[in-house]
Amino acid sequence: MLNLEIIIFGALALITVVAAVMMIIARNAVHSALFLVVVMSSLAVFFLGLWAPFIAMVQVALYAGAIMVLFLFVIMLLGAERAGARLLLAWQAPLAIGLTVLVVLLGALLLLNTAPFEVVDLPAAEITEGTAEAIGQALYSVWLFPFEAVSILLLVAMIGAVVMTRQETRQEARDERKKKSL
Amino acid sequence: MTGEQLLQGLWAILPEIVLLLLGILVITIDLIKPGQRKGRTFGALTIGGALVTTLIIIYQAINQPPEPVLAFAGMVRIDLFVQMFRLMFSVALLLAALISLDVKGVKTNGEFYGLLIFSTVGMGFMAASNNIVMLYVGLETTSIALYMLAGFIRESTVSTEAGMKYFLFGAFTSTILLYGLSLLFGFTGGKTGYAEIAATLQQLAAQQETLPLMVALVLIAVGFGFKVAAVPFHMWTPDVYEGSPTPITAFISVASKAAGFAVFIRFFLIVFGPLQEQWIGFVALLAAVTMTLGNLVAMQQRNFKRMLAYSSIAQAGYLLIGVTAVGELGTAAVLFYLATYVLTNIAAFAVAEIATNATGSELIKDMAGLSRRAPGIAFALLAAMLSLAGVPPLAGFFGKFYVFQAAIGYTNPTGQNSLVWLAILGVLNSIVALYYYLMVLKVTYVDRAEGEDVPLTTSGGFKLALATTVAGMIFFGIFATPLYTLSTLAAQAVR
């Protein structure tokens, strides 16, 4: 049973990392967005493996679904799917890959050289912990205040989005023209 | 949660509730009366609301129980330390609204004041947070509102650039902070409250398992370092300070920095308290690099707002000395320094706006003749520059004095003092800084310019803001004791 879990985890982890790397290096923005969908979906499976069905569903419905559709819309509307013909900073990609490999190797070395980590068997999470009911309970008791504070955050973001995209009203445009002609 | 607990919690966050309602009121009025000239309604509302909030905070601070008030299942912690920061935020909001009243492009805009108020609410949550989730929500509320405000004048390319830069850097460092927080969450086995994390770290530190924790610590320091504009996370500062509408620059440079230090102090002293020996050297290095680089680059600036940006980086360096000198003395010094810095920097940026309006240029050399055109404004600039430089009898002198004193008085657990070098470096830096602050005064007082006989008229908002801040600088420069006593009491409440 444990082996099967490890095999599934390994395969998924590989898919996720490869898709994430492809998302960054893809030259077509639509391809990037589609690779991001792969990353999001495999994350959803990870959540399922951690006994968190609610988060897994939210991950699929919100991130892989709604948000990615918006991404694709914006990319296609702006016609931004094709990046420029030539790479402006061609040296960046190899450098980034090299540095990443270096950091991963250093991390692995450090981990191997420090005191051996104890493998602790955590008590298996109760299946009830990740349900919508349990999350609702938690949100409205212990996490009530941050939950409410997030609504302020979203309000601010909403007002900000309106401010940033507002059109000049006709009156303002007329005033502007009058000022210029004076 | 019982009804009584709920009431107690609501009373604890009353200043934020008042500001939130004020923000919603301002935005709503802006919505229901579209297209009409609303003049100074929003500015006046904001100033009035900030004044009421300030009074509420003072009342709460006077009646503050000796034990910290933990509200909403321990998410929020209100003590004198938090009250003092709240006071700084609301005063900064008041002054920023005052100097916005006559700034083109923002003065009659309801959304501008609304976002300004919401970001102050976020800062209140940051300072009061007692839980990493709460901390992050507060930080994001503050930052997102400030990104919008920095890029608020969309017709201006520099403002748009400032908004975009601030947003990209901010979003990037915020993910780094989040990564650090999630590592901490994992290493402590799912703890989110500050006190619980600290208790777990205590155990881990006793077992000598600190290396993974240091990774989390460094990532979190990156997030906070961005907020307070410490080197090497300062790259955004000059462009954002130069491009943003000046009242927003002033607000970012004082309130956002203060909020950054509020979480920096609480997090490093309380949560990372058990790892003190490991991080002191790291933060001391950060302080040394920050003040030295800030001062050296500030000397070469020709644009007044950019110079003030580098000067504010240098100030962050001095403040970090106070954080490094862990303990009551250091924290009290930081609090005192920040309180006087709020007044000083807002005055400096107000003068920058007035000078830019009068001459159409932000260059220091174009401020020539200001002393003859507007003696009062020039005097405010004199006070602000000397206070930033730390010249007595202005408040900035005591700020620096207490910070350096804390570094010299610091002793580590083995009874030795390892921070004297930092204090010496700080003093050397203040001497370097004196050069460029005095250069500005030389230009305004000595240099001659064409049209220097034309008197400069300034509007009431600027005059009132400058009069208040200059009075504050002089008052706290002569009678530093009351403010320092308050800072000490607030510093004692951190533990």
Side-chain angles (χ1 to χ4, degrees), chain A residues 114 142-143 145-146 149-150 152-153 155-156 159-160 163-164 166 175, chain B residues 13 37 75-76 111 118 125 133-134 140-141 148 151-152 154 192 211:
Chain A
T114 47
V142 180
W143 300 103
F145 192 65
V150 166
I152 304 171
L153 171 60
L155 177 71
V156 170
I159 296 169
V163 169
M164 285 291 111
R166 70 173 183 264
D175 288 353
Chain B
I13 58 159
R37 301 260 160 237
M75 293 291 152
V76 173
E111 285 122 3
F118 286 133
F125 286 159
V133 176
M134 202 53 227
E140 281 302 288
T141 311
M148 310 298 167
F152 201 84
R154 291 197 310 157
T192 53
L211 186 74

PDB file of all heavy atoms in Angstrom, chain A residues 114 142-143 145-146 149-150 152-153 155-156 159-160 163-164 166 175, chain B residues 13 37 75-76 111 118 125 133-134 140-141 148 151-152 154 192 211:
ATOM      1  N   THR A 114      23.499  17.039   7.388  1.00  0.00           N
ATOM      2  CA  THR A 114      23.034  17.407   8.728  1.00  0.00           C
ATOM      3  C   THR A 114      22.544  16.140   9.424  1.00  0.00           C
ATOM      4  O   THR A 114      22.480  15.061   8.836  1.00  0.00           O
ATOM      5  CB  THR A 114      21.887  18.425   8.669  1.00  0.00           C
ATOM      6  OG1 THR A 114      20.949  17.961   7.700  1.00  0.00           O
ATOM      7  CG2 THR A 114      22.378  19.791   8.306  1.00  0.00           C
ATOM      8  N   VAL A 142     -12.650  29.441  14.673  1.00  0.00           N
ATOM      9  CA  VAL A 142     -11.302  29.928  14.957  1.00  0.00           C
ATOM     10  C   VAL A 142     -10.863  30.968  13.928  1.00  0.00           C
ATOM     11  O   VAL A 142     -10.270  31.993  14.254  1.00  0.00           O
ATOM     12  CB  VAL A 142     -10.296  28.752  14.944  1.00  0.00           C
ATOM     13  CG1 VAL A 142      -8.903  29.247  15.238  1.00  0.00           C
ATOM     14  CG2 VAL A 142     -10.718  27.712  15.947  1.00  0.00           C
ATOM     15  N   TRP A 143     -11.159  30.708  12.653  1.00  0.00           N
ATOM     16  CA  TRP A 143     -10.619  31.552  11.589  1.00  0.00           C
ATOM     17  C   TRP A 143     -11.566  32.669  11.183  1.00  0.00           C
ATOM     18  O   TRP A 143     -11.407  33.251  10.123  1.00  0.00           O
ATOM     19  CB  TRP A 143     -10.265  30.688  10.370  1.00  0.00           C
ATOM     20  CG  TRP A 143      -9.255  29.674  10.722  1.00  0.00           C
ATOM     21  CD1 TRP A 143      -9.460  28.349  10.946  1.00  0.00           C
ATOM     22  CD2 TRP A 143      -7.868  29.900  10.959  1.00  0.00           C
ATOM     23  NE1 TRP A 143      -8.280  27.737  11.303  1.00  0.00           N
ATOM     24  CE2 TRP A 143      -7.299  28.663  11.314  1.00  0.00           C
ATOM     25  CE3 TRP A 143      -7.053  31.037  10.901  1.00  0.00           C
ATOM     26  CZ2 TRP A 143      -5.941  28.533  11.616  1.00  0.00           C
ATOM     27  CZ3 TRP A 143      -5.711  30.899  11.195  1.00  0.00           C
ATOM     28  CH2 TRP A 143      -5.178  29.659  11.550  1.00  0.00           C
ATOM     29  N   PHE A 145     -12.015  35.734  12.116  1.00  0.00           N
ATOM     30  CA  PHE A 145     -11.499  37.083  11.907  1.00  0.00           C
ATOM     31  C   PHE A 145     -10.676  37.215  10.625  1.00  0.00           C
ATOM     32  O   PHE A 145     -10.945  38.111   9.822  1.00  0.00           O
ATOM     33  CB  PHE A 145     -10.713  37.539  13.130  1.00  0.00           C
ATOM     34  CG  PHE A 145     -10.422  38.997  13.089  1.00  0.00           C
ATOM     35  CD1 PHE A 145     -11.456  39.917  13.147  1.00  0.00           C
ATOM     36  CD2 PHE A 145      -9.129  39.456  12.954  1.00  0.00           C
ATOM     37  CE1 PHE A 145     -11.198  41.263  13.080  1.00  0.00           C
ATOM     38  CE2 PHE A 145      -8.870  40.803  12.890  1.00  0.00           C
ATOM     39  CZ  PHE A 145      -9.904  41.713  12.951  1.00  0.00           C
ATOM     40  N   PRO A 146      -9.697  36.322  10.399  1.00  0.00           N
ATOM     41  CA  PRO A 146      -8.984  36.423   9.117  1.00  0.00           C
ATOM     42  C   PRO A 146      -9.931  36.270   7.931  1.00  0.00           C
ATOM     43  O   PRO A 146      -9.785  36.949   6.913  1.00  0.00           O
ATOM     44  CB  PRO A 146      -8.000  35.256   9.158  1.00  0.00           C
ATOM     45  CG  PRO A 146      -7.851  34.906  10.574  1.00  0.00           C
ATOM     46  CD  PRO A 146      -9.114  35.291  11.255  1.00  0.00           C
ATOM     47  N   ALA A 149     -11.466  39.477   7.410  1.00  0.00           N
ATOM     48  CA  ALA A 149     -10.460  40.442   6.945  1.00  0.00           C
ATOM     49  C   ALA A 149     -10.169  40.240   5.463  1.00  0.00           C
ATOM     50  O   ALA A 149      -9.884  41.195   4.742  1.00  0.00           O
ATOM     51  CB  ALA A 149      -9.177  40.316   7.766  1.00  0.00           C
ATOM     52  N   VAL A 150     -10.258  38.982   5.003  1.00  0.00           N
ATOM     53  CA  VAL A 150     -10.032  38.724   3.582  1.00  0.00           C
ATOM     54  C   VAL A 150     -11.078  39.448   2.737  1.00  0.00           C
ATOM     55  O   VAL A 150     -10.788  39.897   1.633  1.00  0.00           O
ATOM     56  CB  VAL A 150     -10.038  37.208   3.301  1.00  0.00           C
ATOM     57  CG1 VAL A 150     -10.137  36.936   1.820  1.00  0.00           C
ATOM     58  CG2 VAL A 150      -8.781  36.572   3.838  1.00  0.00           C
ATOM     59  N   ILE A 152     -12.227  42.359   3.268  1.00  0.00           N
ATOM     60  CA  ILE A 152     -11.727  43.727   3.070  1.00  0.00           C
ATOM     61  C   ILE A 152     -10.672  43.720   1.962  1.00  0.00           C
ATOM     62  O   ILE A 152     -10.662  44.567   1.069  1.00  0.00           O
ATOM     63  CB  ILE A 152     -11.107  44.282   4.361  1.00  0.00           C
ATOM     64  CG1 ILE A 152     -12.119  44.229   5.489  1.00  0.00           C
ATOM     65  CG2 ILE A 152     -10.617  45.703   4.152  1.00  0.00           C
ATOM     66  CD1 ILE A 152     -11.527  44.554   6.829  1.00  0.00           C
ATOM     67  N   LEU A 153      -9.807  42.706   2.032  1.00  0.00           N
ATOM     68  CA  LEU A 153      -8.753  42.588   1.021  1.00  0.00           C
ATOM     69  C   LEU A 153      -9.357  42.489  -0.375  1.00  0.00           C
ATOM     70  O   LEU A 153      -8.922  43.163  -1.317  1.00  0.00           O
ATOM     71  CB  LEU A 153      -7.910  41.345   1.351  1.00  0.00           C
ATOM     72  CG  LEU A 153      -6.882  40.874   0.338  1.00  0.00           C
ATOM     73  CD1 LEU A 153      -5.864  41.949   0.075  1.00  0.00           C
ATOM     74  CD2 LEU A 153      -6.187  39.628   0.837  1.00  0.00           C
ATOM     75  N   LEU A 155     -12.329  43.509  -1.285  1.00  0.00           N
ATOM     76  CA  LEU A 155     -12.966  44.789  -1.612  1.00  0.00           C
ATOM     77  C   LEU A 155     -11.938  45.756  -2.167  1.00  0.00           C
ATOM     78  O   LEU A 155     -12.159  46.419  -3.193  1.00  0.00           O
ATOM     79  CB  LEU A 155     -13.631  45.369  -0.356  1.00  0.00           C
ATOM     80  CG  LEU A 155     -14.273  46.735  -0.518  1.00  0.00           C
ATOM     81  CD1 LEU A 155     -15.523  46.623  -1.357  1.00  0.00           C
ATOM     82  CD2 LEU A 155     -14.599  47.349   0.824  1.00  0.00           C
ATOM     83  N   VAL A 156     -10.782  45.815  -1.489  1.00  0.00           N
ATOM     84  CA  VAL A 156      -9.719  46.720  -1.935  1.00  0.00           C
ATOM     85  C   VAL A 156      -9.269  46.347  -3.345  1.00  0.00           C
ATOM     86  O   VAL A 156      -9.116  47.205  -4.218  1.00  0.00           O
ATOM     87  CB  VAL A 156      -8.528  46.669  -0.961  1.00  0.00           C
ATOM     88  CG1 VAL A 156      -7.332  47.405  -1.530  1.00  0.00           C
ATOM     89  CG2 VAL A 156      -8.907  47.254   0.369  1.00  0.00           C
ATOM     90  N   ILE A 159     -11.973  47.465  -5.854  1.00  0.00           N
ATOM     91  CA  ILE A 159     -11.944  48.906  -6.109  1.00  0.00           C
ATOM     92  C   ILE A 159     -10.725  49.248  -6.952  1.00  0.00           C
ATOM     93  O   ILE A 159     -10.789  50.025  -7.910  1.00  0.00           O
ATOM     94  CB  ILE A 159     -11.911  49.689  -4.779  1.00  0.00           C
ATOM     95  CG1 ILE A 159     -13.195  49.445  -4.004  1.00  0.00           C
ATOM     96  CG2 ILE A 159     -11.715  51.166  -5.030  1.00  0.00           C
ATOM     97  CD1 ILE A 159     -13.141  49.962  -2.599  1.00  0.00           C
ATOM     98  N   GLY A 160      -9.605  48.621  -6.603  1.00  0.00           N
ATOM     99  CA  GLY A 160      -8.374  48.881  -7.337  1.00  0.00           C
ATOM    100  C   GLY A 160      -8.514  48.526  -8.797  1.00  0.00           C
ATOM    101  O   GLY A 160      -8.104  49.296  -9.680  1.00  0.00           O
ATOM    102  N   VAL A 163     -10.534  51.178 -10.465  1.00  0.00           N
ATOM    103  CA  VAL A 163      -9.772  52.422 -10.617  1.00  0.00           C
ATOM    104  C   VAL A 163      -8.776  52.305 -11.766  1.00  0.00           C
ATOM    105  O   VAL A 163      -8.630  53.205 -12.589  1.00  0.00           O
ATOM    106  CB  VAL A 163      -9.030  52.747  -9.309  1.00  0.00           C
ATOM    107  CG1 VAL A 163      -8.035  53.868  -9.524  1.00  0.00           C
ATOM    108  CG2 VAL A 163     -10.007  53.127  -8.227  1.00  0.00           C
ATOM    109  N   MET A 164      -8.102  51.144 -11.822  1.00  0.00           N
ATOM    110  CA  MET A 164      -7.044  50.984 -12.817  1.00  0.00           C
ATOM    111  C   MET A 164      -7.590  50.887 -14.245  1.00  0.00           C
ATOM    112  O   MET A 164      -6.884  51.155 -15.198  1.00  0.00           O
ATOM    113  CB  MET A 164      -6.231  49.728 -12.511  1.00  0.00           C
ATOM    114  CG  MET A 164      -5.283  49.871 -11.349  1.00  0.00           C
ATOM    115  SD  MET A 164      -3.931  50.975 -11.727  1.00  0.00           S
ATOM    116  CE  MET A 164      -4.300  52.363 -10.674  1.00  0.00           C
ATOM    117  N   ARG A 166     -10.639  52.304 -15.269  1.00  0.00           N
ATOM    118  CA  ARG A 166     -11.741  53.246 -15.539  1.00  0.00           C
ATOM    119  C   ARG A 166     -11.470  54.016 -16.827  1.00  0.00           C
ATOM    120  O   ARG A 166     -10.336  54.297 -17.210  1.00  0.00           O
ATOM    121  CB  ARG A 166     -11.910  54.209 -14.366  1.00  0.00           C
ATOM    122  CG  ARG A 166     -10.775  55.191 -14.264  1.00  0.00           C
ATOM    123  CD  ARG A 166     -10.976  56.252 -13.225  1.00  0.00           C
ATOM    124  NE  ARG A 166      -9.848  57.166 -13.291  1.00  0.00           N
ATOM    125  CZ  ARG A 166      -8.787  57.096 -12.532  1.00  0.00           C
ATOM    126  NH1 ARG A 166      -8.684  56.156 -11.614  1.00  0.00           N
ATOM    127  NH2 ARG A 166      -7.786  57.957 -12.666  1.00  0.00           N
ATOM    128  N   ASP A 175     -13.528  68.547 -20.533  1.00  0.00           N
ATOM    129  CA  ASP A 175     -12.706  69.494 -19.759  1.00  0.00           C
ATOM    130  C   ASP A 175     -11.277  69.498 -20.265  1.00  0.00           C
ATOM    131  O   ASP A 175     -10.641  70.538 -20.426  1.00  0.00           O
ATOM    132  CB  ASP A 175     -12.708  69.103 -18.281  1.00  0.00           C
ATOM    133  CG  ASP A 175     -14.047  69.390 -17.646  1.00  0.00           C
ATOM    134  OD1 ASP A 175     -14.893  69.998 -18.335  1.00  0.00           O
ATOM    135  OD2 ASP A 175     -14.239  68.983 -16.487  1.00  0.00           O
TER     136      ASP A 175
ATOM    137  N   ILE B  13     -10.703  46.167  18.228  1.00  0.00           N
ATOM    138  CA  ILE B  13     -10.375  46.591  16.858  1.00  0.00           C
ATOM    139  C   ILE B  13     -11.229  47.782  16.422  1.00  0.00           C
ATOM    140  O   ILE B  13     -11.402  48.020  15.231  1.00  0.00           O
ATOM    141  CB  ILE B  13     -10.502  45.438  15.846  1.00  0.00           C
ATOM    142  CG1 ILE B  13     -11.918  44.866  15.862  1.00  0.00           C
ATOM    143  CG2 ILE B  13      -9.484  44.355  16.103  1.00  0.00           C
ATOM    144  CD1 ILE B  13     -12.254  44.117  14.598  1.00  0.00           C
ATOM    145  N   ARG B  37     -18.872  67.937  -9.312  1.00  0.00           N
ATOM    146  CA  ARG B  37     -17.679  68.427  -8.620  1.00  0.00           C
ATOM    147  C   ARG B  37     -17.911  68.286  -7.125  1.00  0.00           C
ATOM    148  O   ARG B  37     -18.831  68.870  -6.578  1.00  0.00           O
ATOM    149  CB  ARG B  37     -17.441  69.886  -8.978  1.00  0.00           C
ATOM    150  CG  ARG B  37     -17.252  70.095 -10.449  1.00  0.00           C
ATOM    151  CD  ARG B  37     -15.775  70.225 -10.792  1.00  0.00           C
ATOM    152  NE  ARG B  37     -15.587  69.958 -12.216  1.00  0.00           N
ATOM    153  CZ  ARG B  37     -14.774  69.022 -12.669  1.00  0.00           C
ATOM    154  NH1 ARG B  37     -14.092  68.280 -11.843  1.00  0.00           N
ATOM    155  NH2 ARG B  37     -14.627  68.847 -13.955  1.00  0.00           N
ATOM    156  N   MET B  75      -6.308  35.633  17.256  1.00  0.00           N
ATOM    157  CA  MET B  75      -5.804  36.128  15.983  1.00  0.00           C
ATOM    158  C   MET B  75      -5.203  37.521  16.131  1.00  0.00           C
ATOM    159  O   MET B  75      -4.292  37.903  15.420  1.00  0.00           O
ATOM    160  CB  MET B  75      -6.942  36.217  14.956  1.00  0.00           C
ATOM    161  CG  MET B  75      -7.512  34.900  14.549  1.00  0.00           C
ATOM    162  SD  MET B  75      -6.325  33.985  13.601  1.00  0.00           S
ATOM    163  CE  MET B  75      -6.852  32.322  13.983  1.00  0.00           C
ATOM    164  N   VAL B  76      -5.781  38.289  17.058  1.00  0.00           N
ATOM    165  CA  VAL B  76      -5.395  39.680  17.214  1.00  0.00           C
ATOM    166  C   VAL B  76      -4.904  39.892  18.627  1.00  0.00           C
ATOM    167  O   VAL B  76      -5.480  39.353  19.571  1.00  0.00           O
ATOM    168  CB  VAL B  76      -6.614  40.594  16.940  1.00  0.00           C
ATOM    169  CG1 VAL B  76      -6.288  42.022  17.261  1.00  0.00           C
ATOM    170  CG2 VAL B  76      -7.055  40.462  15.507  1.00  0.00           C
ATOM    171  N   GLU B 111     -11.989  57.602  -4.713  1.00  0.00           N
ATOM    172  CA  GLU B 111     -11.290  56.325  -4.634  1.00  0.00           C
ATOM    173  C   GLU B 111      -9.898  56.483  -4.042  1.00  0.00           C
ATOM    174  O   GLU B 111      -9.407  55.611  -3.331  1.00  0.00           O
ATOM    175  CB  GLU B 111     -11.161  55.685  -6.023  1.00  0.00           C
ATOM    176  CG  GLU B 111     -12.439  55.082  -6.529  1.00  0.00           C
ATOM    177  CD  GLU B 111     -12.843  55.696  -7.844  1.00  0.00           C
ATOM    178  OE1 GLU B 111     -12.084  56.544  -8.356  1.00  0.00           O
ATOM    179  OE2 GLU B 111     -13.908  55.338  -8.351  1.00  0.00           O
ATOM    180  N   PHE B 118      -8.247  52.345   3.389  1.00  0.00           N
ATOM    181  CA  PHE B 118      -8.208  50.880   3.467  1.00  0.00           C
ATOM    182  C   PHE B 118      -6.785  50.390   3.737  1.00  0.00           C
ATOM    183  O   PHE B 118      -6.590  49.414   4.451  1.00  0.00           O
ATOM    184  CB  PHE B 118      -8.739  50.259   2.175  1.00  0.00           C
ATOM    185  CG  PHE B 118     -10.225  50.352   2.040  1.00  0.00           C
ATOM    186  CD1 PHE B 118     -10.810  50.783   0.872  1.00  0.00           C
ATOM    187  CD2 PHE B 118     -11.043  50.012   3.113  1.00  0.00           C
ATOM    188  CE1 PHE B 118     -12.184  50.876   0.746  1.00  0.00           C
ATOM    189  CE2 PHE B 118     -12.421  50.103   3.008  1.00  0.00           C
ATOM    190  CZ  PHE B 118     -12.991  50.542   1.813  1.00  0.00           C
ATOM    191  N   PHE B 125      -4.122  45.929  11.022  1.00  0.00           N
ATOM    192  CA  PHE B 125      -4.168  44.465  11.155  1.00  0.00           C
ATOM    193  C   PHE B 125      -2.763  43.878  11.213  1.00  0.00           C
ATOM    194  O   PHE B 125      -2.499  42.935  11.957  1.00  0.00           O
ATOM    195  CB  PHE B 125      -4.928  43.847   9.973  1.00  0.00           C
ATOM    196  CG  PHE B 125      -6.416  44.046  10.040  1.00  0.00           C
ATOM    197  CD1 PHE B 125      -7.201  43.958   8.914  1.00  0.00           C
ATOM    198  CD2 PHE B 125      -7.026  44.331  11.254  1.00  0.00           C
ATOM    199  CE1 PHE B 125      -8.573  44.145   8.977  1.00  0.00           C
ATOM    200  CE2 PHE B 125      -8.394  44.519  11.336  1.00  0.00           C
ATOM    201  CZ  PHE B 125      -9.167  44.432  10.187  1.00  0.00           C
ATOM    202  N   VAL B 133      -1.428  33.777   9.577  1.00  0.00           N
ATOM    203  CA  VAL B 133      -2.467  33.977   8.565  1.00  0.00           C
ATOM    204  C   VAL B 133      -2.942  35.433   8.589  1.00  0.00           C
ATOM    205  O   VAL B 133      -3.043  36.108   7.565  1.00  0.00           O
ATOM    206  CB  VAL B 133      -3.654  33.023   8.811  1.00  0.00           C
ATOM    207  CG1 VAL B 133      -4.771  33.304   7.832  1.00  0.00           C
ATOM    208  CG2 VAL B 133      -3.197  31.590   8.690  1.00  0.00           C
ATOM    209  N   MET B 134      -3.186  35.907   9.810  1.00  0.00           N
ATOM    210  CA  MET B 134      -3.630  37.289   9.998  1.00  0.00           C
ATOM    211  C   MET B 134      -2.577  38.267   9.480  1.00  0.00           C
ATOM    212  O   MET B 134      -2.890  39.259   8.826  1.00  0.00           O
ATOM    213  CB  MET B 134      -3.839  37.484  11.504  1.00  0.00           C
ATOM    214  CG  MET B 134      -4.743  38.598  11.895  1.00  0.00           C
ATOM    215  SD  MET B 134      -6.305  38.478  11.084  1.00  0.00           S
ATOM    216  CE  MET B 134      -6.457  40.168  10.544  1.00  0.00           C
ATOM    217  N   GLU B 140      -1.205  42.029   2.826  1.00  0.00           N
ATOM    218  CA  GLU B 140      -1.707  42.132   1.455  1.00  0.00           C
ATOM    219  C   GLU B 140      -2.718  43.267   1.309  1.00  0.00           C
ATOM    220  O   GLU B 140      -2.721  43.974   0.304  1.00  0.00           O
ATOM    221  CB  GLU B 140      -2.343  40.812   1.019  1.00  0.00           C
ATOM    222  CG  GLU B 140      -1.326  39.773   0.615  1.00  0.00           C
ATOM    223  CD  GLU B 140      -0.433  40.238  -0.520  1.00  0.00           C
ATOM    224  OE1 GLU B 140      -0.915  40.332  -1.649  1.00  0.00           O
ATOM    225  OE2 GLU B 140       0.740  40.527  -0.268  1.00  0.00           O
ATOM    226  N   THR B 141      -3.583  43.448   2.324  1.00  0.00           N
ATOM    227  CA  THR B 141      -4.546  44.545   2.259  1.00  0.00           C
ATOM    228  C   THR B 141      -3.801  45.867   2.129  1.00  0.00           C
ATOM    229  O   THR B 141      -4.144  46.720   1.303  1.00  0.00           O
ATOM    230  CB  THR B 141      -5.421  44.564   3.527  1.00  0.00           C
ATOM    231  OG1 THR B 141      -5.901  43.255   3.752  1.00  0.00           O
ATOM    232  CG2 THR B 141      -6.578  45.507   3.377  1.00  0.00           C
ATOM    233  N   MET B 148      -2.107  50.374  -6.067  1.00  0.00           N
ATOM    234  CA  MET B 148      -3.038  51.200  -6.836  1.00  0.00           C
ATOM    235  C   MET B 148      -2.703  52.671  -6.668  1.00  0.00           C
ATOM    236  O   MET B 148      -2.712  53.435  -7.622  1.00  0.00           O
ATOM    237  CB  MET B 148      -4.481  51.020  -6.348  1.00  0.00           C
ATOM    238  CG  MET B 148      -4.939  49.614  -6.231  1.00  0.00           C
ATOM    239  SD  MET B 148      -4.919  48.824  -7.809  1.00  0.00           S
ATOM    240  CE  MET B 148      -5.108  47.146  -7.307  1.00  0.00           C
ATOM    241  N   GLY B 151       0.294  53.994  -8.604  1.00  0.00           N
ATOM    242  CA  GLY B 151       0.072  54.195 -10.031  1.00  0.00           C
ATOM    243  C   GLY B 151      -1.189  54.974 -10.317  1.00  0.00           C
ATOM    244  O   GLY B 151      -1.778  54.819 -11.377  1.00  0.00           O
ATOM    245  N   PHE B 152      -1.617  55.793  -9.351  1.00  0.00           N
ATOM    246  CA  PHE B 152      -2.955  56.367  -9.440  1.00  0.00           C
ATOM    247  C   PHE B 152      -3.120  57.352 -10.583  1.00  0.00           C
ATOM    248  O   PHE B 152      -4.171  57.414 -11.218  1.00  0.00           O
ATOM    249  CB  PHE B 152      -3.322  57.054  -8.118  1.00  0.00           C
ATOM    250  CG  PHE B 152      -4.787  57.215  -7.933  1.00  0.00           C
ATOM    251  CD1 PHE B 152      -5.544  56.173  -7.424  1.00  0.00           C
ATOM    252  CD2 PHE B 152      -5.431  58.376  -8.306  1.00  0.00           C
ATOM    253  CE1 PHE B 152      -6.900  56.296  -7.275  1.00  0.00           C
ATOM    254  CE2 PHE B 152      -6.802  58.501  -8.157  1.00  0.00           C
ATOM    255  CZ  PHE B 152      -7.532  57.460  -7.642  1.00  0.00           C
ATOM    256  N   ARG B 154      -2.926  57.990 -13.931  1.00  0.00           N
ATOM    257  CA  ARG B 154      -2.662  57.124 -15.073  1.00  0.00           C
ATOM    258  C   ARG B 154      -2.149  57.886 -16.276  1.00  0.00           C
ATOM    259  O   ARG B 154      -1.571  57.308 -17.182  1.00  0.00           O
ATOM    260  CB  ARG B 154      -3.930  56.355 -15.439  1.00  0.00           C
ATOM    261  CG  ARG B 154      -4.274  55.329 -14.374  1.00  0.00           C
ATOM    262  CD  ARG B 154      -5.236  54.342 -14.902  1.00  0.00           C
ATOM    263  NE  ARG B 154      -6.346  55.039 -15.521  1.00  0.00           N
ATOM    264  CZ  ARG B 154      -7.128  54.506 -16.442  1.00  0.00           C
ATOM    265  NH1 ARG B 154      -6.899  53.295 -16.847  1.00  0.00           N
ATOM    266  NH2 ARG B 154      -8.133  55.190 -16.949  1.00  0.00           N
ATOM    267  N   THR B 192       0.167  28.071  13.868  1.00  0.00           N
ATOM    268  CA  THR B 192       0.047  29.357  13.194  1.00  0.00           C
ATOM    269  C   THR B 192       0.141  30.535  14.163  1.00  0.00           C
ATOM    270  O   THR B 192       0.485  31.634  13.753  1.00  0.00           O
ATOM    271  CB  THR B 192      -1.288  29.482  12.434  1.00  0.00           C
ATOM    272  OG1 THR B 192      -2.346  29.195  13.336  1.00  0.00           O
ATOM    273  CG2 THR B 192      -1.346  28.537  11.257  1.00  0.00           C
ATOM    274  N   LEU B 211      19.032  24.531  11.246  1.00  0.00           N
ATOM    275  CA  LEU B 211      19.378  24.849   9.851  1.00  0.00           C
ATOM    276  C   LEU B 211      18.144  25.033   8.964  1.00  0.00           C
ATOM    277  O   LEU B 211      18.017  26.061   8.284  1.00  0.00           O
ATOM    278  CB  LEU B 211      20.296  23.772   9.278  1.00  0.00           C
ATOM    279  CG  LEU B 211      20.804  24.139   7.897  1.00  0.00           C
ATOM    280  CD1 LEU B 211      21.856  25.231   7.981  1.00  0.00           C
ATOM    281  CD2 LEU B 211      21.348  22.932   7.179  1.00  0.00           C
TER     282      LEU B 211
END
